[in-house]
Each structure stands twice: as C-alpha cells, then as structure tokens.
Amino acid sequence: MAKKSEGSTGRRGQRPSVVNAAKRSGPGKGFWMAIGLVVVIGVGALSWVATRPKVTASRVDPSLPALKAEGYLMGSPSAPIEIIEFADFECPGCGQFSNLTEPDVRIRFVNTGLVRIRFMDFPLDIHKNTWDASLAASCANEQDKFWQMHDLIFQNQDKWNTETTSRPRGPLADLAKTLNLDMTKYNACMDSEKFKAQVQANLHEGERRQVNQTPTFIIGDQKIPGGIPFDAFKKLVDAELAKVPKGATPATDTTKTKKSS
C-alpha cells in the first residue's frame, strides 16, 4: 500500500503555505488585547495603593482644653503590669478582641491581680459613629459603668455603627438603659459632650506613641498592632511577668470585670 504524500497537505492536513503563514504571524490580536488589559488593571491597582487614604486618627476642635490622657482602668492599680490598649469602638478587630480574647485575659490575668488594663480611646476618621460611642462610654463611666458599657458597645456594633445608622445616639442610649443608668444624667452628659476633651486627650496620647492601627497594645516596652489571639497575648504577658522581682505578690483586684450579658 502506497504511503500518502505529505507534500500536498503538510502537517496535520494543512498546506505548507498556511503553516508558514501562521508561524510568521505570531500571537494573535486577542493575545495582545489580553496583555494590554492586564497592564491596565495592574497600573490601576498600583495607583489605588499609592493614593488610598491612610488610616488616621480623628481630629477635633483644637479649642478644647488640653487634658492629661487617663483612659479607663480595669484591675488593681497596684498590679505589677499595666497593659495599654488603644482602640476604636467601631473597629471590627477591636470588637473581635473584646468579645473573643479579652474575657480570657480578664479571668487569667486581671482577676488574679497580675495585670491591669488601661483602655484608651483612639477614634478613627473612617468610622463616623465612633466618637458618639466613646462619649457614651465616658458618660457611663461617670456613673461607674464604663466597662459594662464598653462590653455592650462592642457586643452590639451592628446596632449603632456607620453601616447601620447615621444617628447612633439612639441605639447607644438603648444600651445605656439596660445598665439602669440615670438616663437624665446620661442624656445631659451626651448633649453637652462633657468628656469630648478627655477622649481627645486619649487620642493624642496614641498619636504621641505613633499608634496607627486599632487595636494596638503597649505591653512593657513593646507596641503590638492588631488584634492577637489569647495564646500570643499570654506569651507577651508571661515574658513581662518574668521580669517582676521574685517574691512579689499579685495585687488584689477590686474592680468588676465580668462581661455584660
């Protein structure tokens, strides 16, 4: 049986002239359009990264009196270690730490007198309702209910945050009512923004320490940005406790640190 000649059809049934033309033409038009699209997308992405707004702390009325940053203390003032937390009440990561990690921190370290925690307001520009939340917590603090209000605010972010409402004071007042606060006193405090200067002082302390993320923790001489799980938190605390002179006894915790229901 005679072999079929390839001279007339070329490889795979194509004529040699067609094969040679395909080789000379190179990648098709669709290929180059796809490459161009990838380049455009890449340039756009780089431009967005270069120009996106930085996460910055809020700026308030410079005419407010300059006060000393105090924050809000949980635990015994004589505990051997103080941990400072800079947080934004509307920050999801701060809420996650408060709801998931902080209960263990309170039980293992605060209630045993080993650690005290100082919460410092650090309201961010990107969260429009966070100032009202800070003011609500400070007005609850006036009635010795800061930490209970702190817990409720974080547990119920979805009821008052910017994505939910442009008028957060109503939902925040509803939370305050569950704590049996004197609502006349609370409402007067909110209306006058009585503690706005103090919130600003806490904010400025964070700026002084070059905080640029929430939450941020100051543990010993370390600044730890971002929420961290309990195991990592414990390692940092244990390292600081190891520096405490031997024989030092834990302080007695006289504060209420239970989570609000």
Side-chain angles (χ1 to χ4, degrees), residues 81-83 97 109 115 216-244:
I81 295 176
E82 176 170 300
I83 296 173
F97 177 82
F109 295 121
V115 168
T216 287
F217 301 92
I218 308 297
I219 303 178
D221 58 358
Q222 297 187 69
K223 181 170 65 176
I224 301 95
I228 50 179
F230 178 76
D231 288 345
F233 197 96
K234 182 178 183 301
K235 287 181 180 179
L236 293 165
V237 172
D238 286 344
E240 286 303 309
L241 288 173
K243 300 175 185 178
V244 176

Side-chain angles (χ1 to χ4, degrees), residues 134-196:
S134 281
L135 293 175
S138 62
C139 288
N141 183 62
E142 189 177 32
Q143 300 185 46
D144 299 321
K145 294 288 182 71
F146 171 80
W147 287 103
Q148 293 90 328
M149 189 65 171
H150 163 283
D151 294 347
L152 287 177
I153 289 173
F154 277 129
Q155 290 167 7
N156 296 277
Q157 280 182 330
D158 61 334
K159 294 180 180 178
W160 61 267
N161 65 15
T162 305
E163 294 180 1
T164 302
T165 181
S166 60
R167 297 182 177 182
R169 293 197 178 193
L172 289 168
D174 290 339
L175 298 179
K177 290 174 185 176
T178 68
L179 297 177
N180 295 319
L181 296 182
D182 180 335
M183 292 308 294
T184 300
K185 186 176 182 180
Y186 170 87
N187 289 330
C189 178
M190 291 294 289
D191 290 343
S192 66
E193 299 188 339
K194 182 176 180 179
F195 296 105
K196 192 172 185 178

Side-chain angles (χ1 to χ4, degrees), residues 195-223:
F195 296 105
K196 192 172 185 178
Q198 188 60 65
V199 172
Q200 178 176 251
N202 298 338
L203 163 64
H204 285 171
E205 176 62 16
E207 292 176 331
R208 186 185 72 79
R209 292 175 180 261
Q210 298 182 334
V211 169
N212 55 23
Q213 182 177 345
T214 56
T216 287
F217 301 92
I218 308 297
I219 303 178
D221 58 358
Q222 297 187 69
K223 181 170 65 176

Side-chain angles (χ1 to χ4, degrees), residues 21-173:
K23 290 181 179 179
R24 288 195 302 269
S25 62
K29 182 178 179 181
F31 172 82
W32 292 113
M33 290 180 65
I35 291 296
L37 182 60
V38 170
V39 171
V40 170
I41 293 173
V43 171
L46 290 173
S47 298
W48 179 81
V49 170
T51 59
R52 65 178 175 175
K54 294 182 179 179
V55 177
T56 57
S58 301
R59 303 292 177 176
V60 296
D61 188 350
S63 66
L64 289 172
L67 303 179
K68 180 182 177 180
E70 295 180 355
Y72 309 91
L73 188 66
M74 175 200 297
S76 172
S78 58
I81 295 176
E82 176 170 300
I83 296 173
I84 303 175
E85 176 190 2
F86 290 93
D88 175 310
F89 275 113
E90 199 170 346
C91 155
C94 300
Q96 184 177 36
F97 177 82
S98 175
N99 295 323
L100 299 182
T101 303
E102 192 169 304
D104 287 331
V105 173
R106 295 182 184 188
I107 292 170
R108 300 281 292 276
F109 295 121
V110 178
N111 292 351
T112 56
L114 295 171
V115 168
R116 61 184 183 272
I117 295 178
R118 191 175 300 276
F119 180 93
M120 306 286 275
D121 307 274
F122 198 74
L124 301 173
D125 277 335
I126 58 174
H127 295 142
K128 303 304 180 184
N129 292 351
T130 190
W131 268 96
D132 284 324
S134 281
L135 293 175
S138 62
C139 288
N141 183 62
E142 189 177 32
Q143 300 185 46
D144 299 321
K145 294 288 182 71
F146 171 80
W147 287 103
Q148 293 90 328
M149 189 65 171
H150 163 283
D151 294 347
L152 287 177
I153 289 173
F154 277 129
Q155 290 167 7
N156 296 277
Q157 280 182 330
D158 61 334
K159 294 180 180 178
W160 61 267
N161 65 15
T162 305
E163 294 180 1
T164 302
T165 181
S166 60
R167 297 182 177 182
R169 293 197 178 193
L172 289 168

